[in-house]
DNA sequence: GCCGATTTGTCCGTATGTATC
DNA sequence: CGATACATACGGACAAATCGG
């Protein structure tokens, strides 16, 4: 994990905000004060503040100061947001996670798949369908495409645990960027076969392309969630002023 | 508009990427080369690259270079993403926008509203319902709450045009941060009354709290979209290394 | 309204560390 | 091994916005 100085300051301030050491709407200490407190340069303080800003934790105001605008939100359903694995999300939401691999096969991308997934036609891919359960209830159906040349040696066994642990642990891949699109689609027969849809006729669908730190796309995933257990969070900023 | 040096570099590189002056997966010039090209400091180049990274346009690789990972996406449905108004979104998606105000009233926040919207109990609010049409088809139903003390003089007339033009133009409010949550909810009677839902029984719902540059929340909005015209885009980064 | 102090915003130059080739 | 490229950090300068006297 990063042991950079700005990261230490970032985490420290973040915790002070989350624990309401700084109250909602309160001003944080000035940059100058933080420089003294953390014994570092102004740039370093500002780097930490920039991260907090893009997290939606604080808001810098020209000539005035930096205001805490963090409000804890209640967690009823299954919240996704940053880059994290199903297991991590489940833990953060205090739920028991289980994964069942219902299809594990290989295929070669054609033009249609290229258009859909972003993998070049001719690429050899693993194609998986996985059913994800929370607290014993099947709620999410994943369709995963992995670039075989980059994700060698994937097995159904691994896929039923955490693919990402395998990628990051065994293969040394570091995931860097994920482009996601969120839509709402009609339920399919496959959805209904595995998930109790109650009277819903739609699914919340996250499709994502994931890139490693070499800029290589190694994954395309369509993750289909039952609506009542789905929540996606996001903070948008109008071109943040902070940093450098 | 910002006339900062880093912003100029940011826009210039962004355009070169979008127009494929740099090809997908190609390396950008090194930071050193960009410093020469733009006659500025390395910090400033890195600031521009940091913005492009968080836009999902490029990916910096330690010791190697910065790679272009931008792929244009096809626009079939109505795409939302950054902070923009309904009108702006409509234009970007090449659609005719129309807004009808179906309710315009005032109310005072109680405990229930505080929990839902984030406005303190006792706050005086405008409450609006607005029906949004694209190319003549009603597709989006907005429930807006505005803080009266901050958004003085709002009228149904203004609300049927662009509230944001009024806020930014007349009142001089600059919108800074927007916290959004995306869920999928069952259709309501109000939805069905105004929108032809076909056979869908769900809506894509974006709820957002918006803050001005003083860190004051002046808006809470629930925006309900018919599923087939809804698309939300996002780029997630695993703690970007860039900047400063 | 003016002036000076404070605070954030932009930009620069430099030094050092670390990963890649 | 050295050269290149990105990552972190420092210190300083000046601009722009805000606030108090």
């Amino acid at each position: 994990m990063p042991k950079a100085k700005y990261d230490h300051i970032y985490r420290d301030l973040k915790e002070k905000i989350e624990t309401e050491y700084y109250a909602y709407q309160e001003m944080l200490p000035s940059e100058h004060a933080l420089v003294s407190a953390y014994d570092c340069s102004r740039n370093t303080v500002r780097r930490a503040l920039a991260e907090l800003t893009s997290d939606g934790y604080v808001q810098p105001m020209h000539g005035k100061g930096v205001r805490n605008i963090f409000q804890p939100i209640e967690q009823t359903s299954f919240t996704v947001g940053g880059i994290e694995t199903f297991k991590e999300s489940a833990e953060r939401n205090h739920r028991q996670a289980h994964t069942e691999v219902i299809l594990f096969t290989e295929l070669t991308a054609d033009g249609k798949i290229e258009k859909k997934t972003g993998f070049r036609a001719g690429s050899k891919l693993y194609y998986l369908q996985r059913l994800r359960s929370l607290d014993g209830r099947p709620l999410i159906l994943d369709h995963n495409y992995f670039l075989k040349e980059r994700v060698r040696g994937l097995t159904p066994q691994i896929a039923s645990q955490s693919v990402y642990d395998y990628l990051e642990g065994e293969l040394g891949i570091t995931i860097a960027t994920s482009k996601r699109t969120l839509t709402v689609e009609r339920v399919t027969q496959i959805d209904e076969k595995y998930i109790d849809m109650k009277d819903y006729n739609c699914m919340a669908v996250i499709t994502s392309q994931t890139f490693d730190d070499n800029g290589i796309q190694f994954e395309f995933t369509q993750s289909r969630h039952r609506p009542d257990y789905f929540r996606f969070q996001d903070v948008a900023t109008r071109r943040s002023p902070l940093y450098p």
Side-chain angles (χ1 to χ4, degrees), chain A residues 101 103-106 124-130 144-168 170-171 173 218-219 221:
Chain A
V101 178
L103 179 67
F104 186 102
T105 180
E106 298 183 17
K124 306 213 165 177
L125 308 172
Y126 292 110
Y127 173 49
L128 287 69
Q129 291 178 357
R130 295 191 292 171
N144 305 102
Y145 299 79
F146 291 102
L147 188 64
K148 194 177 167 189
E149 108 192 30
R150 194 75 189 82
V151 189
R152 296 205 172 285
L154 191 62
T155 64
Q157 166 62 17
I158 294 168
S160 70
Q161 304 301 318
S162 174
V163 172
Y164 273 66
D165 284 353
Y166 176 69
L167 297 184
E168 297 192 315
E170 299 289 315
L171 298 181
I173 294 177
F218 65 92
E219 178 190 7
T221 286

Side-chain angles (χ1 to χ4, degrees), chain A residues 6-191:
Chain A
Y6 76 83
D7 193 68
H8 165 68
I9 301 173
Y10 164 77
R11 288 170 199 268
D12 196 58
L13 290 176
K14 187 167 187 169
E15 198 198 322
K16 285 194 166 80
I17 290 168
E18 283 171 344
T19 60
E20 298 184 80
Y21 176 85
Y22 302 121
Y24 178 61
Q25 292 291 356
E26 183 185 343
M27 293 296 193
L28 266 59
S30 73
E31 295 176 356
H32 178 70
L34 291 173
V35 164
S36 305
Y38 291 104
D39 187 32
C40 65
S41 75
R42 194 170 151 227
N43 281 350
T44 305
V45 162
R46 283 175 65 75
R47 170 78 193 257
L49 290 174
E51 311 268 10
L52 290 170
T53 304
S54 74
D55 290 347
Y57 271 50
V58 301
Q59 181 147 317
M61 288 169 293
H62 199 153
K64 295 211 259 186
V66 179
R67 173 171 275 159
N68 170 15
I69 59 166
F70 170 82
Q71 290 167 296
I73 41 92
E74 91 248 50
Q75 304 262 24
T76 57
S77 40
F78 188 68
T79 309
V80 295
I83 293 187
E84 56 181 5
T85 68
F86 174 66
K87 229 203 266 179
E88 288 166 350
S89 300
E91 279 173 21
R92 195 172 42 71
N93 287 279
H94 303 104
R95 292 195 146 74
Q96 270 293 332
H98 179 75
T99 299
E100 182 190 346
V101 178
I102 57 184
L103 179 67
F104 186 102
T105 180
E106 298 183 17
L107 52 81
T108 303
D110 56 16
K112 194 176 157 192
I113 293 182
E114 170 169 345
K115 198 163 151 69
K116 172 179 170 185
T117 66
F119 288 120
R120 298 273 158 75
S123 309
K124 306 213 165 177
L125 308 172
Y126 292 110
Y127 173 49
L128 287 69
Q129 291 178 357
R130 295 191 292 171
L131 183 63
R132 314 282 216 168
S133 298
L134 292 170
D135 294 339
R137 260 184 310 258
L139 294 172
I140 303 168
L141 191 66
D142 279 7
H143 299 252
N144 305 102
Y145 299 79
F146 291 102
L147 188 64
K148 194 177 167 189
E149 108 192 30
R150 194 75 189 82
V151 189
R152 296 205 172 285
L154 191 62
T155 64
Q157 166 62 17
I158 294 168
S160 70
Q161 304 301 318
S162 174
V163 172
Y164 273 66
D165 284 353
Y166 176 69
L167 297 184
E168 297 192 315
E170 299 289 315
L171 298 181
I173 294 177
T174 38
I175 137 175
T177 305
S178 184
K179 302 188 195 183
R180 298 179 291 195
T181 300
L182 216 145
T183 54
V184 177
E185 299 180 9
R186 281 203 178 69
V187 290
T188 65
Q189 291 191 343
I190 303 180
D191 295 335

Side-chain angles (χ1 to χ4, degrees), chain A residues 202-214:
Chain A
C202 294
M203 297 287 270
V205 179
I206 301 180
T207 61
S208 57
Q209 292 175 293
T210 313
F211 295 79
D212 68 11
D213 56 355
N214 287 314

